[in-house]
């Protein structure tokens, strides 16, 4: 099936991600440092210069886009401060819950995106949200699927089952109940910033087009499923022609991230500006800023067992799921989270994505843990 590649940017997502980074004081320095440590030696001089330009551009976009903003502003703090779901590094904030939960990337202008959120919410909100089952809360907001024939369960009861702080559950439920009011307030808050971002990003269109041309070349020789397997570790027995239209689009602010969206008639990939085949930068600050979240994640027996099994053997997702008697969806989520923490490597072998523990990353994590617990410069881990 033909893959449609879109060169337009989602101004809504660019604005939300920029404000999230700004309010939570997330620096690009960690991404750049870890990127160069991992990939620097394999880059040609031309590639190195290109990535230097990308990092410089990202830094300039954020500085100009957030000029004159106060990260301690109460409204920015409410909507963009990290909610920190328990035991999971997912980069969640109220703005993402309100917007991303009802946005699937079909609209690109700010106004069209807000309207898409409003329309999709209307269907979700019917009958106290109980005709949908909430399956996950992550950086893409609320993930839910329609239910039919089952006894309806209210959204509040569904949220109760999630391992997130009680105040976060209440704030999320309140946001869904008061959605129209909060959406209007959020729209007014970020509209001037979104308008500014559209102008700023227009000046970097030539760099974006280089990314577009690169992926046009890639998908001329690879299928959508090739990408999901090799770059995301996602495996499926579904035939390549199933699932409707395939769409690929890009973003600056989610520079190292890949988001995957799917509905009845479309599958979409949102690819960060830094990502290339064989180069998937890990999320910023996975050592310095997420020691506690990693410890929470690994405190669960099955999650700890996953990384233990991967310490001396490569696994692809379905193989590990069968061996541990877990669903492929559960394994995929845990592997993606461990990979986003920077603790795993992903290698493509015979069209399958194989994971294995990144020993160097584990050692860096242990160094940071020692420093945090003992309060002094850590000893050598050699």
């Amino acid at each position: 099936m033909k893959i449609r590649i879109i060169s337009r940017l989602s101004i809504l997502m660019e604005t939300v991600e920029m404000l999230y980074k700004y309010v939570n004081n997330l620096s690009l320095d960690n991404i750049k440092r870890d990127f160069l440590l991992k990939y620097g030696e394999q880059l040609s001089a031309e590639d190195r210069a290109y990535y230097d330009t990308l990092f410089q551009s990202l830094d300039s976009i954020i500085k100009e886009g957030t000029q004159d903003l106060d990260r301690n502003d109460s409204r920015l703090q409410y909507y963009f401060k990290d909610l920190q779901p328990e035991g999971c590094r997912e980069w969640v904030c109220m703005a993402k819950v309100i917007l991303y939960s009802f946005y699937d990337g079909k609209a690109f202008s700010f106004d069209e995106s807000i309207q898409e959120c409003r329309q999709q919410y209307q269907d979700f909100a019917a009958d106290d949200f109980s005709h949908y089952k909430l399956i996950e809360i992550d950086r893409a907001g609320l993930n839910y699927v329609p239910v039919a024939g089952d006894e309806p369960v209210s959204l509040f009861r569904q949220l109760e089952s999630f391992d997130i702080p009680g105040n976060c559950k209440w704030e999320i439920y309140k946001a869904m109940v008061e959605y129209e009011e909060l959406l209007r307030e959020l729209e007014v808050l970020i509209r001037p910033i979104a308008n500014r971002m559209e102008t700023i990003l227009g000046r970097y269109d030539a760099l974006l087009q280089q990314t577009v041309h690169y992926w046009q070349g890639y998908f001329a020789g690879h299928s959508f499923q090739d990408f999901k397997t090799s770059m995301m570790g996602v495996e499926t027995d579904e035939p390549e022609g199933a699932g409707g239209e395939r769409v690929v689009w890009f973003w600056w602010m989610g520079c190292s991230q890949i988001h995957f969206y799917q509905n009845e008639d479309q599958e979409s990939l949102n690819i960060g500006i830094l990502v290339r085949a064989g180069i998937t930068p890990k999320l910023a600050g996975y050592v310095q800023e997420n020691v506690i979240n990693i410890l929470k994640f690994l405190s669960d027996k099955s999650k700890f067992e996953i990384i233990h099994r991967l310490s001396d053997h490569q696994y692809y997702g379905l193989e590990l799921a069968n061996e541990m008697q877990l669903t492929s969806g559960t394994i995929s989520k845990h592997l993606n989270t461990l990979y986003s923490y920077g603790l795993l490597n992903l290698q493509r072998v015979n069209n399958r994505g194989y994971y294995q523990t990144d020993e160097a990353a584990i050692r860096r994590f242990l160094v940071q843990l020692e420093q945090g617990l003992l309060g002094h410069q850590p000893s050598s881990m050699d």
Side-chain angles (χ1 to χ4, degrees):
M1 179 175 290
K2 185 176 180 181
I3 298 170
R4 185 160 60 97
I5 296 181
I6 298 174
S7 60
R8 292 185 66 187
L9 297 169
S10 168
I11 299 302
L12 174 74
M13 292 188 69
E14 299 287 3
T15 304
V16 169
E17 294 297 326
M18 180 188 68
L19 289 172
Y20 178 86
K21 286 179 170 60
Y22 175 70
V23 169
N24 293 283
N25 204 23
L26 297 177
S27 170
L28 292 172
D29 292 343
N30 289 326
I31 291 182
K32 184 174 182 179
R33 183 201 64 239
D34 294 336
F35 175 82
L36 293 177
L37 282 173
K38 186 171 181 63
Y39 299 109
E41 292 184 0
Q42 73 185 59
L43 297 177
S44 67
E46 182 180 0
D47 289 338
R48 178 67 178 265
Y50 172 68
Y51 275 105
D52 282 342
T53 300
L54 286 180
F55 279 111
Q56 291 169 10
S57 300
L58 280 162
D59 188 56
S60 297
I61 291 168
I62 294 173
K63 286 180 178 177
E64 188 175 354
T66 57
Q67 187 177 4
D68 301 325
L69 295 180
D70 177 8
R71 63 167 46 91
N72 295 315
D73 177 89
S74 60
R75 292 185 304 165
L76 287 177
Q77 285 285 318
Y78 175 75
Y79 285 112
F80 293 97
K81 189 67 176 177
D82 196 348
L83 292 178
Q84 297 180 336
E86 194 74 17
C88 182
R89 179 200 173 153
E90 284 291 359
W91 292 16
V92 184
C93 64
M94 287 305 303
K96 294 185 182 183
V97 170
I98 293 169
L99 297 171
Y100 290 0
S101 300
F102 309 106
Y103 176 71
D104 59 15
K106 291 184 177 180
F108 290 87
S109 76
F110 182 75
D111 287 333
E112 290 172 344
S113 299
I114 292 293
Q115 186 59 24
E116 180 180 304
C117 295
R118 184 172 283 115
Q119 290 175 345
Q120 293 206 25
Y121 168 79
Q122 292 300 326
D123 181 60
F124 177 78
D127 303 322
D128 189 29
F129 322 100
S130 59
H131 60 304
Y132 283 97
K133 180 180 179 181
L134 187 61
I135 58 175
E136 195 171 18
I137 303 172
D138 61 18
R139 72 191 71 172
L142 307 183
N143 295 284
Y144 48 86
V145 293
V147 295
D150 297 336
E151 181 179 350
V153 179
S154 71
L155 179 62
F156 187 82
R157 284 180 56 196
Q158 293 187 52
L159 285 168
E160 280 294 302
S161 67
F162 279 78
D163 187 22
I164 58 177
N167 63 314
C168 291
K169 296 176 186 178
W170 170 245
E171 289 295 335
I172 291 172
Y173 181 72
K174 181 182 176 184
M176 294 301 101
V177 173
E178 301 176 0
Y179 186 83
E180 292 289 350
E181 178 182 349
L182 293 183
L183 180 62
R184 283 194 297 271
E185 181 177 80
L186 186 55
E187 178 184 359
V188 170
L189 175 65
I190 68 175
R191 178 181 293 280
I193 308 167
N195 292 340
R196 185 193 305 174
M197 279 294 286
E198 187 167 16
T199 299
I200 295 169
L201 291 170
R203 298 200 296 268
Y204 294 87
D205 188 62
L207 271 176
L208 174 66
Q209 293 309 314
Q210 290 187 47
T211 294
V212 173
H213 293 153
Y214 172 85
W215 288 108
Q216 286 174 334
Y218 173 90
F219 283 111
H222 297 81
S223 69
F224 210 74
Q225 187 57 44
D226 287 340
F227 179 95
K228 291 196 296 181
T229 300
S230 63
M231 303 291 285
M232 302 171 65
V234 175
E235 300 170 47
T236 178
D237 295 327
E238 186 177 77
E240 179 62 31
E245 182 184 31
R246 264 74 172 178
V247 177
V248 177
W249 46 292
F250 310 96
W251 58 347
W252 278 93
M253 291 300 108
C255 53
S256 61
Q257 300 177 40
I258 303 168
H259 280 196
F260 175 65
Y261 304 83
Q262 183 174 19
N263 55 38
E264 293 180 355
D265 58 359
Q266 181 176 289
E267 286 185 295
S268 300
L269 286 171
N270 190 11
I271 303 175
I273 196 81
L274 297 176
V275 178
R276 293 289 186 271
I279 296 180
T280 50
K282 296 169 183 177
L283 298 181
Y286 66 88
V287 174
Q288 292 87 343
E289 299 169 9
N290 287 278
V291 170
I292 293 175
N293 280 339
I294 293 174
L295 290 174
K296 288 178 180 177
F297 185 88
L298 295 178
S299 66
D300 179 85
K301 182 178 179 180
S302 63
K303 296 170 185 175
F304 184 86
E305 184 179 351
I306 289 173
I307 201 165
H308 175 70
R309 287 173 181 261
L310 294 172
S311 63
D312 58 5
H313 181 72
Q314 284 188 330
Y315 283 92
Y316 66 93
L318 292 178
E319 178 187 14
L320 188 59
N322 291 334
E323 190 167 305
M324 294 185 64
Q325 297 183 334
L326 296 172
T327 67
S328 60
T330 297
I331 284 292
S332 178
K333 174 178 170 58
H334 293 340
L335 289 174
N336 285 337
T337 300
L338 284 168
Y339 183 75
S340 75
Y341 283 140
L343 301 181
L344 301 182
N345 286 319
L346 175 60
Q347 180 182 6
R348 184 179 182 180
V349 179
N350 296 327
N351 206 34
R352 282 178 170 167
Y354 283 81
Y355 289 91
Q356 189 165 19
T357 300
D358 185 335
E359 183 175 342
I362 295 289
R363 289 184 178 276
R364 290 195 297 270
F365 164 70
L366 293 175
V367 166
Q368 291 296 323
L369 179 60
E370 179 183 348
Q371 185 176 23
L373 292 175
L374 299 180
H376 57 66
Q377 188 66 28
S379 58
S380 172
M381 294 297 295
D382 294 335

